[in-house]
Amino acid sequence: MKKTIQKITKLVALSAYLVAYGPAFAAPFQTNETEQGGFFDVSEALPWHIGVKLWSKGPIKKIKNRFCFGHEFVIGPFVEWKPLNGIGIQTGVMYSYNHLGTLGADIWGGNLVDGWSGKATPIKDASNGSFIDVDAIKFQAISIPLSIRFYPGSDRQFVLHIGPRLMIPFKAKQTYYDNIRFSDSESNIKNKLKKILESLNSDNQTPNELKIGTHLTWDWGFSYNTKSGFIIGMNGIGLMLGFDGTKLLSN
């Protein structure tokens, strides 16, 4: 009887020990699952973020083999998915307004381009009377970005982003056009360049509508997301502002 009581006492003591120290074994596993600094963030199970942003920048890009530069303004909603802790994928449907000066020169490909047809002539044939077609254009487009976003800090507020953006123009106007031939005199070229610079700030539009097709451009830069949801940063050569409304919707 005495031995039986001793066995029961030891069993109760062992059970009490396991109950008291059991969470200590489970805690490390639970901590690893929800650790904010880890690669997977289970505490935020595949979170989605939505908001609105705008930017104004000076794009330098190529459209139909033409070299383009000028000003772009973009505004619209975005949605972001964070499949991994510190990495996000963002997209949206935005409105884009562009006012660009263009040269019919494929600088990267070594060709001259006549009009918006995309027809190219090698620069080496310029001695045969080739010319550079110079235009100033305005167009509006539906803009669909797809960017990869990296959050290097422990607080996940600083962001680096890069990615392509699909541009679908729906309205375009040509505000100036001219051809600069290689045989033109130096003074004539200077006068034409002066007209080009003046036309970039002009609101005069010709009735000629351009058929600028769908094309890709690139976005890259950085931003800082405040805890209240406001976003400030840069997209290329330009300022970017925004607001992440996820916290407002979750309250």
Side-chain angles (χ1 to χ4, degrees), residues 18-208:
L18 293 176
V19 170
Y21 288 89
F25 293 103
F29 176 76
Q30 190 175 19
T31 301
N32 288 339
E33 282 188 335
T34 60
E35 185 180 359
Q36 294 295 323
F39 193 59
F40 291 94
D41 187 355
V42 181
S43 64
E44 289 187 1
L46 307 181
W48 292 84
H49 291 256
I50 60 174
V52 63
K53 64 171 55 176
L54 62 88
W55 65 78
S56 177
K57 74 173 184 177
I60 300 176
K61 59 183 179 179
K62 189 168 76 168
I63 304 177
K64 282 191 175 179
N65 292 331
R66 297 180 65 95
F67 178 74
C68 302
F69 59 93
H71 174 260
E72 179 190 41
F73 175 78
V74 178
I75 186 170
F78 70 84
V79 59
E80 181 175 352
W81 175 47
K82 293 182 178 178
L84 301 175
N85 191 19
I87 298 179
I89 301 173
Q90 189 176 106
T91 187
V93 179
M94 315 182 85
Y95 165 80
S96 173
Y97 172 83
N98 296 259
H99 191 183
L100 306 176
T102 77
L103 295 175
D106 180 4
I107 296 177
W108 295 272
N111 296 315
L112 299 178
V113 183
D114 183 13
W116 290 91
S117 64
K119 183 180 179 181
T121 302
I123 291 179
K124 64 182 180 180
D125 296 336
S127 58
N128 297 329
S130 297
F131 56 85
I132 297 180
D133 180 21
V134 181
D135 295 347
I137 60 170
K138 296 179 180 180
F139 73 87
Q140 302 173 59
I142 296 173
S143 181
I144 304 176
L146 180 64
S147 63
I148 305 297
R149 299 167 61 82
F150 303 94
Y151 297 78
S154 58
D155 57 3
R156 306 307 188 202
Q157 289 181 264
F158 182 74
V159 190
L160 299 171
H161 66 88
I162 186 171
R165 178 157 49 97
L166 183 65
M167 301 283 287
I168 309 174
F170 61 85
K171 186 177 182 180
K173 292 289 184 180
Q174 183 170 277
T175 60
Y176 177 86
Y177 65 93
D178 202 349
N179 296 325
I180 299 179
R181 293 189 178 274
F182 285 90
S183 58
D184 285 346
S185 64
E186 182 178 352
S187 59
N188 193 24
I189 291 177
K190 286 183 178 179
N191 290 333
K192 289 189 175 185
L193 290 176
K194 184 179 179 180
K195 284 179 59 181
I196 293 169
L197 293 176
E198 291 175 350
S199 70
L200 291 177
N201 296 319
S202 173
D203 290 330
N204 296 326
Q205 295 183 346
T206 68
N208 300 327

Side-chain angles (χ1 to χ4, degrees), residues 2 6 26 85 103 244-245:
K2 185 177 179 180
Q6 289 178 346
N85 191 19
L103 295 175
D244 187 338

